[in-house]
């Protein structure tokens, strides 16, 4: 028997989840329902660095499990002929700190070449900076990755429906299992008051080449940062940033843009000769912790199987593959529960 699965969301979370359900559960007929697709989802405007960031109190073990599966997935693509098409690349860079953190980041053994700068290196390269690390990281440029993954999803029979939902009630009759991946808009669509926007502004420059790719965290609590992330072939450089909590503005803000240009050119003076190619602002789906679980819920007057996968903060790209595999497992369990009840008494 075929089970109908509706995945709400076509961002990096929804699309990867829909892909894995379709790929791994032969009995499922999968449809993505969303009003925004690439290049208009949150991940599309970002540099796509693999690095856990702004995840509330999501347990570290879960972050490491989902992050490792995603890291391994990206490495597999990197080592395939598809790497360029998929927008997956690897770059070395630096993370500079205003104050020495109490401990190394928990993900330091996942990435490559993690090492502290010596005082001599700091004095020569970044005079005045107290502490810094060097690391080689994976990048996944959603602007390329999402169309690439969408093509693969459609090739295995995945379906797509463009629709703006004001409530899940509108699709209750269409699907046996609903998978909710609406990003920050879970606050309205699911009435989840734990979800809030963390607004980020980005300015993209032509890459002056002399600008090393690195990220500076200016405050110990990560609340404000200045970063440079290269595009896959390093022709552009994405500079940031802001982290404005509860700001729903998706338009570029001239003051933020000005601040980013000032901070970035101070750090890398050669950027002064680079051209601004574009500016973009997006909303990180902040939440107390990532919601990745299933429940039976009354929707449109019927008890439905619902799987949730949202609230990935500043790490949606970093964790997407691992989270999508876990959501797929929850869908598999939901379908098994429906099968156990039998076709006549389907929820
Ligand atoms: C400036 C900035 C920089 C970032 N940098 C990085 C980075 O370097 N690395 C990293 O890992 N992460 C980064 N992030 C975070 C990352 O981009 C997000 O965590 C991720 O993109 C969230 O993906 P999502 O699929 O959950 O949400 P979205 O991409 O927002 O997708 C939500 C989907 O749900 C659909 N939807 C929602 N509500 C409805 C509705 N009512 N009806 C129909 N459809 C609906 C939308 O149409 C859309 O398709 C950054 C974010 C920002 C803003």
């Amino acid at each position: 028997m075929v089970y109908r699965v509706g995945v709400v969301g076509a961002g990096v979370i929804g699309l990867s989840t829909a892909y894995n359900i379709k790929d791994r559960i032969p009995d499922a007929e999968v449809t993505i329902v969303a009003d925004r697709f690439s290049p208009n989802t949150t991940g599309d405007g970002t540099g796509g660095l693999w690095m856990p960031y702004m995840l509330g109190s999501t347990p570290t073990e879960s972050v490491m499990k989902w992050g490792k599966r995603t890291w391994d997935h990206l490495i597999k693509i990197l080592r395939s002929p598809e790497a360029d098409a998929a927008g997956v690349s690897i770059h070395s860079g630096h993370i500079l700190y205003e104050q020495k953190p109490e401990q190394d980041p928990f993900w330091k053994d996942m990435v490559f070449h993690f090492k502290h700068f010596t005082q001599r290196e700091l004095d020569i390269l970044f005079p005045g900076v107290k502490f810094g690390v060097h690391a080689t990281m994976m990048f996944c440029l959603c602007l390329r990755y999402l169309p690439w993954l969408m093509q693969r999803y459609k090739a295995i029979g995945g379906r797509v429906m463009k629709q703006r939902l004001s409530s899940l009630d509108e699709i209750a009759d269409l699907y046996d299992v609903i998978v909710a991946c609406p990003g920050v808009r879970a606050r309205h669509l699911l009435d989840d008051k734990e979800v809030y926007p963390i607004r980020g502004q980005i300015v993209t420059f032509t890459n002056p080449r002399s600008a090393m790719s690195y990220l500076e965290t200016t405050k110990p609590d990560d609340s404000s940062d200045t970063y440079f992330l290269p595009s896959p072939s390093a022709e552009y450089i994405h500079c940031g940033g802001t982290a404005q909590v509860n700001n729903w503005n998706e338009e570029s803000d001239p003051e933020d843009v000005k601040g980013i240009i000032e901070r970035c050119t101070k750090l890398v003076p050669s950027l002064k000769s680079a051209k601004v190619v574009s500016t973009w602002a997006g909303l990180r789906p902040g939440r107390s912790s990532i919601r990745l679980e299933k429940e039976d819920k009354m929707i449109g007057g019927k008890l439905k199987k619902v799987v949730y996968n949202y609230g990935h903060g500043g790490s949606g790209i970093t964790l997407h593959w691992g989270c999508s595999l876990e959501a797929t497992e929850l869908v598999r369990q939901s379908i098994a529960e429906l099968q156990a009840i039998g076709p006549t008494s389907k929820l």
Side-chain angles (χ1 to χ4, degrees):
M1 157 147 203
V2 169
Y3 284 85
R4 302 162 305 167
V5 180
V7 178
V8 178
V12 69
I13 300 298
L15 178 54
S16 56
T17 302
Y19 175 83
N20 274 314
I21 297 168
K22 185 66 204 151
D23 191 42
R24 288 160 190 257
I25 307 181
D27 290 346
E29 183 185 281
V30 185
T31 305
I32 291 176
V33 184
D35 60 353
R36 294 188 193 182
F37 293 83
S38 180
N40 298 313
T41 73
T42 308
D44 286 296
T46 77
L49 168 69
W50 186 101
M51 191 175 96
Y53 181 56
M54 293 187 169
L55 279 165
S57 53
T58 305
T60 302
E61 316 83 73
S62 302
V63 174
M64 285 302 283
K65 179 178 61 175
W66 299 326
K68 179 170 182 348
R69 284 177 161 188
T70 308
W71 178 273
D72 292 346
H73 164 69
L74 295 178
I75 292 279
K76 195 169 157 198
I77 297 174
L78 183 78
R79 292 186 42 78
S80 81
E82 296 289 304
D84 265 350
V88 174
S89 57
I90 187 164
H91 300 274
S92 297
H94 317 309
I95 306 175
L96 309 178
Y97 296 84
E98 206 175 58
Q99 287 169 25
K100 184 173 180 193
E102 277 173 20
Q103 55 194 29
D104 283 336
F106 61 85
W107 42 262
K108 79 176 173 94
D109 294 329
M110 183 88 69
V111 304
F112 301 138
H113 310 130
F114 184 93
K115 90 172 200 37
H116 295 180
F117 275 113
T118 62
Q119 194 56 51
R120 175 181 159 269
E121 289 165 339
L122 283 177
D123 289 347
I124 294 172
L125 283 172
F126 309 109
V129 173
K130 302 257 182 327
F131 183 76
V133 300
H134 175 89
T136 299
M137 307 283 236
M138 294 302 300
F139 285 69
C140 173
L141 191 74
C142 282
L143 214 48
R144 282 199 210 164
Y145 179 71
L146 294 181
W148 176 83
L149 192 58
M150 179 61 90
Q151 204 177 20
R152 292 167 68 94
Y153 167 71
K154 286 183 176 168
I156 56 172
R159 301 174 181 194
V160 169
M161 190 163 79
K162 186 163 187 188
Q163 185 181 348
R164 185 192 171 101
L165 303 172
S166 43
S167 152
L168 292 185
D169 292 5
E170 292 165 36
I171 53 168
D173 283 338
L174 299 179
Y175 305 110
D176 303 305
V177 181
I178 294 175
V179 185
C181 312
V184 73
R185 286 160 66 203
R187 184 170 178 104
H188 306 120
L189 184 66
L190 307 175
D191 196 27
D192 184 342
K193 297 289 184 270
E194 289 184 47
V195 177
Y196 57 91
I198 309 172
R199 180 180 174 278
Q201 174 77 56
I202 286 185
V203 181
T204 300
F205 291 83
T206 52
N207 190 350
R209 304 288 163 159
S210 48
M212 288 166 286
S213 109
Y214 63 80
L215 180 151
E216 182 209 19
T217 304
T218 55
K219 292 187 180 166
D221 67 354
D222 280 349
S223 62
S224 159
D225 53 11
T226 300
Y227 57 82
F228 301 72
L229 306 178
S231 60
S233 49
E235 70 271 45
Y236 300 116
I237 194 146
H238 305 285
C239 297
T242 62
Q244 298 157 350
V245 171
N246 287 328
N247 184 339
W248 286 93
N249 180 16
E250 290 182 78
E251 300 296 318
S252 277
D253 179 314
E255 280 306 305
D256 289 339
V257 170
K258 196 170 149 227
I260 288 169
I261 293 175
E262 276 171 16
R263 275 184 282 139
C264 290
T265 48
K266 193 171 158 211
L267 218 50
V268 179
S270 62
L271 263 188
K272 279 188 183 150
S273 60
K275 280 200 194 105
V276 173
V277 179
S278 61
T279 64
W280 174 84
L283 309 179
R284 299 175 182 92
R287 196 173 186 273
S288 46
S289 64
I290 290 175
R291 187 171 189 200
L292 184 37
E293 61 183 0
K294 71 181 181 68
E295 74 170 348
D296 292 345
K297 187 177 165 62
M298 287 303 286
I299 297 180
K302 297 192 174 105
L303 195 60
K304 290 300 237 193
K305 299 279 180 196
V306 185
V307 172
Y308 302 95
N309 187 9
Y310 63 86
H312 300 80
S315 308
I317 301 156
T318 304
L319 305 182
H320 76 279
W321 200 255
C323 289
S324 71
L325 290 173
E326 193 153 320
T328 298
E329 196 43 48
L330 296 176
V331 170
R332 191 194 301 281
Q333 288 168 18
S334 302
I335 289 177
E337 286 163 19
L338 289 174
Q339 282 167 336
I341 298 167
T344 48
S345 41
K346 259 170 54 180
L347 288 179

